[in-house]
Structures are given as C-alpha cells and as structure tokens.
Amino acid sequence: MPHKAAPFDALDRKIVAALMENGRASFAEIGTAVGLSSTAVKRRVDRLRADDVITGFTATVRPAALGWLTEAYVEVYCDSAAPPRRLAEVVRNHPEITAAMTVTGGADALLHVRATDVEHFEEVLERIRTEPFIRKTISFMVLSHLLPDSPEAGARQPSPAHEPRGESLPTQRTGHNRP
Amino acid sequence: MPHKAAPFDALDRKIVAALMENGRASFAEIGTAVGLSSTAVKRRVDRLRADDVITGFTATVRPAALGWLTEAYVEVYCDSAAPPRRLAEVVRNHPEITAAMTVTGGADALLHVRATDVEHFEEVLERIRTEPFIRKTISFMVLSHLLPDSPEAGARQPSPAHEPRGESLPTQRTGHNRP
DNA sequence: TATGAAAGGAACAAGGT
DNA sequence: ACCTTGTTCCTTTCATA
C-alpha cells in the first residue's frame, strides 16, 4: 500500500482552516491558535502537503484590478461521441478558460471564462466554437457576485499567452507550489 | 475619487504572478525572481494589498481530501421581482454555497454548491428550494474536471474548522459548518 | 543596515501499538 | 521495542523599522 489513509484529525482540520484564512500565517501563530508548538504544526503541514490535502498556497487577487473585467460560464455541446479527454486538450489551448468540467444535464461541459472585456470574450467564444467537435455553446455572463470571496473572484486568472490588447496582464495558470 | 489608479507595472505583475504560484514565497525569493531587493518587494506587496489588488492569501485544498465529494452548479429562478440583495441574504444562509452570482440568460442566479455526497446535496437543494421567492432550480452535477487546479476545485470550501461527527477521512455530514 | 521573528533541522521524551 | 507525535534547543534566513 503506497498511501496510508492519513489520519485527518481535528487538529489537522483547524490547521487547514487557519491556513485557508491566512495562507501566510506563521507556524508559531497557527500553533498558538490550535494548541501546538510551531514545529509540530510544521510537521503536520508538511504531511498535509505530502498527502495532497493542501495542494499549494496562493495569493487571492481581485481580477478586476488586473484588468479582467468580464466573466462568463459557457455550456458546451459536443458532437455525438466527444471524449472528455479530447475536450481537456481543447480547453488547455485557451488560457481564458479558468475552469472546465464535464457535467450532467444537457450540456457536455461547463467552462468558466475570464476576459478583459466583452469584446475579448466574444473573441474567445469564437475561438472556442471553431474547435473541431464543438457543436454549440450557450453563454451566461456573470453580472454580479452574491458572495464576497467566491473562488471565481480571486483564485486564478488566465495566462496572457497572447495578450488580447495593449497591456500584458499578469500570468497564471498555476500548477502546484512548493514552498 | 478615493482610489487613485495604482500604477500597476510589469514588476507588480511579476510579483503578483509569483505570489499566485507560491503564496508563501519569501520576499527575498520573489526579489531574486523579479530582480528586486526583498525590501522593495515588500513595499510593493504592501501597496498591492493596500490597493486591494491582492486581497489575501490562502491554502489551496483538495476538497475530496476533506470529504467534500460532491459538487454541482445550480441555476436559480426567482419570482418576478427578486432583488439581488435578498438573494445575497439567502445565499449566506447556506454554507454549502461556495459561489453565487447573478447571470444573464434564463436563470436569475447561478450557485456553486459543495456537499459531502449526493444525499447531502439533495438535502441542500431542498433547503434552498424552500426559500421564499425561489421558484425553480436546475442542477448540474460536476462529473470530472478538465483542468487540474480549477478555482472551484480548491479555493474555498465550507470551513473544515469544526469536526462534524466521528473521525476519519470522509468528514462532514449534516451538521452544517459556518466559517 | 540592524534587530527581532520565523523557518527548518537535530535530538530527545511520552503514548500507544 | 517501534512508530508516531509532541517537545526543546539551535542555526540560518527572513521580516521590517
């Protein structure tokens, strides 16, 4: 057995919660919060990372501040036998797609797309629709967020593989982080 | 005008990118990556935080490791004149809703929901549907992710802070958790 | 640049198997 | 006895005025 089922206890949960609330909290700080020494916290965090419970640390960013003013969800309908694998390839070709998943319901997949503005979004959409086996798309533009720190609001922005206009925007398309 | 448009230059962009890739990177580390001294980096990071370009730091977590095995998007249709404000209140009452936004298209809002399992999701859905002016919901269960670290995959979950019951890995049940 | 704080490692102690 | 998980130093690196 390669991985033993990590005994994820209440202490781990508190540590994870502390790190989700403040990803730069010091081990000592977390320690006093959960009742451990800093080194004990570090060991547990190391283990949580090794077990891929914690997959990384990131700054949360306000996309609008970086020029990503437009956001939409796009339902994708594929030709008959569209293998998810091929869809995954397609999705990776468009850096503006910040999340993509297969879903139940009429559509085959749901994409989350960020663009600098509506014009840019239209360009992205056209690009997606020219992909081989994509039959149809239905878009929902995001108007306003009802929760302050929704994941979509900050976690990831697309890379400016080819920046759409004028100024280049910060990269990203994160993989994992090793501190 | 309260906020002056912060002069957001290429260096800032690189710093933000570095911090999104590794939210616990030291200022010195970032400095060598972008060609600045650690103190210069700190000054810029402080400014980026003050300007709310960077809104915080967080650990990215694999929800399944915490027992959140089920994920869905829910389109919400409201009664005639449903003010977004009221929807925001409703949304805050259900900790399983991890993102919520008003959207164009037929639906009034789109919710992202996490639950421990399908049973739990059904319970959440029933709870949402009993809310006063919600007329109808349409759910899309997420089957598989096509991008590795999509925001939805890791950024925020209902807090793991409180241990709901028992022990071991698949945590969380009906004892709903507030952050 | 200088001071205190944090990270990270080594060595050791207590419980549980 | 051994493995796990906690502790207390200690040194190097970092944060920050």
Side-chain angles (χ1 to χ4, degrees), chain A residues 4 24 36-37 39-40 43-44:
Chain A
K4 62 177 56 184
R24 280 179 85 87
L36 282 180
S37 71
T39 51
R43 271 223 291 263
R44 292 180 93 112

Side-chain angles (χ1 to χ4, degrees), chain B residues 59-156:
Chain B
T60 59
V61 166
R62 189 166 48 88
L66 302 184
W68 300 98
L69 302 176
T70 301
E71 187 185 356
Y73 283 90
V74 179
E75 290 183 348
V76 172
Y77 295 76
C78 293
D79 284 335
S80 51
R85 303 279 166 191
R86 295 255 5 214
L87 246 188
E89 287 169 33
V90 166
V91 149
R92 274 192 289 272
N93 290 335
H94 304 274
E96 295 89 350
I97 301 176
T98 56
M101 60 218 86
T102 55
V103 291
T104 64
D108 294 300
L110 184 63
L111 312 180
H112 179 252
V113 173
R114 277 196 191 281
T116 55
D117 51 32
V118 175
E119 207 177 313
H120 180 198
F121 175 68
E122 182 173 28
E123 185 258 306
V124 173
L125 202 56
E126 283 171 11
R127 220 189 309 135
I128 291 172
R129 300 181 74 150
T130 62
E131 289 285 353
F133 47 77
I134 290 184
R135 201 181 80 232
K136 163 173 121 174
T137 65
I138 299 183
S139 301
F140 306 89
M141 305 283 298
V142 173
L143 296 174
S144 72
H145 286 267
L146 301 171
L147 279 179
D149 257 323
S150 72
E152 289 75 9
R156 186 168 313 273

Side-chain angles (χ1 to χ4, degrees), chain B residues 64-67 69 165 167-172:
Chain B
L66 302 184
L69 302 176
R165 57 118 199 236
E167 202 54 35
S168 68
L169 205 60
T171 28
Q172 311 301 118

Side-chain angles (χ1 to χ4, degrees), chain A residues 32-90:
Chain A
T32 61
V34 307
L36 282 180
S37 71
S38 63
T39 51
V41 172
K42 177 192 174 349
R43 271 223 291 263
R44 292 180 93 112
V45 170
D46 286 345
R47 199 202 65 215
L48 290 166
R49 299 213 45 181
D51 293 350
D52 246 47
V53 174
I54 295 173
T55 58
F57 296 93
T58 187
T60 60
V61 166
R62 192 166 48 89
L66 303 186
W68 301 98
L69 302 175
T70 300
E71 186 185 356
Y73 284 88
V74 179
E75 290 183 345
V76 172
Y77 295 76
C78 294
D79 283 335
S80 51
R85 304 279 167 190
R86 295 255 5 215
L87 245 188
E89 288 170 33
V90 166

Side-chain angles (χ1 to χ4, degrees), chain A residues 5-10 13-14 16-17 19-27 30 49 51-63 65-66 71 73 75 84-85 87-88 91-92 97-107 109-112 139-152 154-157 167-179, chain B residues 8-10 13-14 16-27 29-30 49 51-63 65-66 71 73 75 84-85 87-88 91-92 97-107 109-112 139-152 154-169 171-172:
Chain A
F8 188 73
D9 66 9
R13 241 169 274 136
K14 284 192 207 166
V16 170
L19 280 172
M20 291 201 318
E21 195 174 330
N22 177 10
R24 280 179 85 87
S26 73
F27 295 139
I30 299 166
R49 299 213 45 181
D51 293 350
D52 246 47
V53 174
I54 295 173
T55 58
F57 296 93
T58 187
T60 60
V61 166
R62 192 166 48 89
L66 303 186
E71 186 185 356
Y73 284 88
E75 290 183 345
R85 304 279 167 190
L87 245 188
V91 149
R92 274 192 288 272
I97 301 178
T98 56
M101 60 219 87
T102 55
V103 290
T104 65
L110 184 64
L111 313 180
H112 179 253
S139 301
F140 306 90
M141 305 283 296
V142 173
L143 296 173
S144 72
H145 286 267
L146 300 171
L147 280 179
D149 257 325
S150 72
E152 289 74 9
R156 188 172 322 276
Q157 4 276 327
E167 190 138 16
S168 118
L169 294 158
T171 32
Q172 211 29 29
R173 196 106 165 62
T174 302
H176 296 176
N177 337 311
R178 298 240 358 100
Chain B
F8 188 73
D9 66 10
R13 246 171 273 134
K14 285 193 206 165
V16 169
L19 280 172
M20 291 200 319
E21 195 174 330
N22 177 7
R24 280 179 84 86
S26 72
F27 296 141
E29 204 174 326
I30 299 166
R49 298 208 52 175
D51 292 350
D52 246 46
V53 175
I54 294 172
T55 58
F57 296 93
T58 187
T60 59
V61 166
R62 189 166 48 88
L66 302 184
E71 187 185 356
Y73 283 90
E75 290 183 348
R85 303 279 166 191
L87 246 188
V91 149
R92 274 192 289 272
I97 301 176
T98 56
M101 60 218 86
T102 55
V103 291
T104 64
L110 184 63
L111 312 180
H112 179 252
S139 301
F140 306 89
M141 305 283 298
V142 173
L143 296 174
S144 72
H145 286 267
L146 301 171
L147 279 179
D149 257 323
S150 72
E152 289 75 9
R156 186 168 313 273
Q157 21 266 321
S159 159
H162 306 96
E163 171 178 6
R165 57 118 199 236
E167 202 54 35
S168 68
L169 205 60
T171 28
Q172 311 301 118

